[in-house]
Structures are given as structure tokens and as C-alpha cells.
Amino acid sequence: MKNNIFPCLWFNGNGREAADFYCNTFSGVISADAGMVINIDLFGQKFMILDAGPQFEKNASISFMVLCESEDEVSSFWQALSEGGTVLMELGEYPWSKMYGWVRDRYGVTWQLYLGEKQGNQKIIPTLMFLHENNGRAMEAMQLYTSIFPGSRLGRILKYGDGVGNESHEIPQNIQHAHFELDGYSFFCMDSSYDHKFDFSEGISIVVMTADQNETDSLWNSLTADGGKESMCGWLKDKFGVSWQIVPRRLLELLNGADRGKGAKVAHAMMQMQKIEIAEIEKAYSS
């Protein structure tokens, strides 16, 4: 798996504790630990933990579907994730899965455990819930994202009117469940008209590692178009409110170089930027 796209989870002082918990739960490993930034590998997938303070909280607008291959696997994950957490949908049999449950763990990350088929080699799939003014826009979002990223495609799309239980009386043409890929990385998404007291936030963002300035510019301009918002240090929100980090690989090379003093200069330069300008951070490194 290329790991050019991966989730970032925001924590407030307990990031390392959470990293250990997820690695223990999913037999993962910590691949990098810089204190504030911790990378973990779960089933060959990269997750970033950003332990950066109380500014943002995670919520279920982006949850993580775990595609399990046995009932024992579902039960094992459920036991760990539900301990000290909050059950959102009880573990049991549903029309879409013989064994399914939805839980928010003790750290505020929301997981859907599903007994069913994997999507290629990817076992954990971020799932975007389009709420409030975005309800009914899941298809629009998928079409936008797959038009922006190379190597992308739409997968199976199930609408509420397609016959798999619509007890909540959702709008029939809205998306009940859909799969799409960006640069080979799988996402699920859905519309929901329920009045949840949350929405997309920086608490969970999507990191995209770029090869050069052209790719950085292209993704930045496309994702901020038509109502998106630029933020600082490579962060942005698209027009639906989903948070993205567009990060040139060159930035990490300079930040993690052997000369810590030069790395600090790069970090200072980055803090002044919205979109990352590779020429400027290289100038800071050389100064």
C-alpha cells in the first residue's frame, strides 16, 4: 500500500497512550514517534496521531469501518474498543451484515465493525457522513474527489431507495452507502438527515503526501475551490467542510534531517504559510 493518503487524528495530551492502545487492539506498530506527531501502522495502513492540544475534537462525521473476516475477530475488536467507550449501535445482526456494531472508543474515535468482504488489501476504511446542509451531497463529493485525484474511481453505490431497509425514512435518492477510491485508497460515504450535534472538523483530517510543487498546487487549488477555505501549515477545508493536509514529501525530508537547527528554521517558515511552498522551505533550510 502506497500510503500517500492517510487519516490524521487529533489528540489532547494522550496521543501516545492512544497509539499504544490501537497498536495493541489491531496488532499494529508505532513507526515514528516525534512526540507531537506519532505514526502508527495498522494492517499495513498508516495513521497519523497529532497530539496538539484541546482545539479540536474527533467525532463520528468521519468514522472507521473495520472489515472483519470472522466473528471472533469482530468480537475481539469490539471488546477492546467498547471498554470505556460508548456504544452507538449494538453489536448484532443487521440486514447489511451478519455481525455489525458501531462504537466510539475511550479516546473519541468512532469505529464500525463489519463482518464482510475486504476492499482489496485495505482493512480499515474511513467513512464520511454528510450531514446538515451537506445531507444529499455525498454523490457530489465523490464525483469531485475522484475528478481531482489520479487513479480514482467510484465503486458500489447504494441509495436509500434501493431496497436494503430504509426504516429511518431517508430521502430515496440520497446515498445509504457508497465506496470510492482516491489514488487507490478506499473511502466509504453516506448521507444522513439525522440531526447529529457534530459535523466535519479538524479533529479528523485526511493527509495527502505530494511529490512536488505542481501536485501540491493542483490539489490545493482544486480542494479550496467553490467555497473551500485555506488554513495554515498546509491545512485546508473543502467546500463540504472536510479537512485536508496537503504535505509535500520534501517538507518531511527537511524537517527530519540530521541538522535540527535547520529543521527548526523549516518549521518556522512552514508556520508562516498556508499552502506549503517548497522553494521557500528549501531557502529556510539553506539560510
Side-chain angles (χ1 to χ4, degrees), residues 88-198:
L88 304 179
M89 291 182 68
E90 291 287 350
L91 185 64
E93 183 172 349
Y94 293 86
W96 55 86
S97 175
K98 183 179 179 182
M99 198 172 187
Y100 169 90
W102 197 337
V103 61
R104 183 169 57 245
D105 69 29
R106 68 189 77 171
Y107 300 105
V109 180
T110 307
W111 304 87
Q112 300 183 61
L113 303 182
Y114 175 91
L115 180 61
E117 296 181 0
K118 291 172 64 178
Q119 301 292 323
N121 293 323
Q122 190 172 327
K123 191 174 182 71
I124 302 177
I125 300 184
T127 302
L128 282 60
M129 187 190 305
F130 289 83
L131 301 157
H132 309 304
E133 69 275 7
N134 285 322
N135 181 33
R137 302 182 74 190
M139 177 62 77
E140 178 189 350
M142 288 191 294
Q143 291 172 336
L144 173 66
Y145 299 151
T146 54
S147 73
I148 290 173
F149 288 85
S152 300
R153 70 179 184 91
L154 294 176
R156 183 169 180 263
I157 296 171
L158 178 70
K159 296 184 178 181
Y160 281 105
D162 290 345
V164 185
N166 190 15
E167 293 81 1
S168 57
H169 306 292
E170 294 278 359
I171 299 170
Q173 65 265 31
N174 282 3
I175 300 299
Q176 182 173 0
H177 179 80
H179 168 230
F180 64 101
E181 292 182 3
L182 304 181
D183 194 21
Y185 185 84
S186 283
F187 291 84
F188 290 146
C189 71
M190 61 183 292
D191 288 306
S192 176
S193 61
Y194 190 82
D195 186 24
H196 292 288
K197 305 306 178 184
F198 55 77

Side-chain angles (χ1 to χ4, degrees), residues 240-261:
F240 308 103
V242 178
S243 290
W244 301 79
Q245 298 181 56
I246 309 302
V247 183
R249 291 191 179 277
R250 183 60 174 153
L251 173 63
L252 299 188
E253 292 172 1
L254 296 177
L255 286 173
N256 298 327
D259 191 323
R260 292 189 177 182

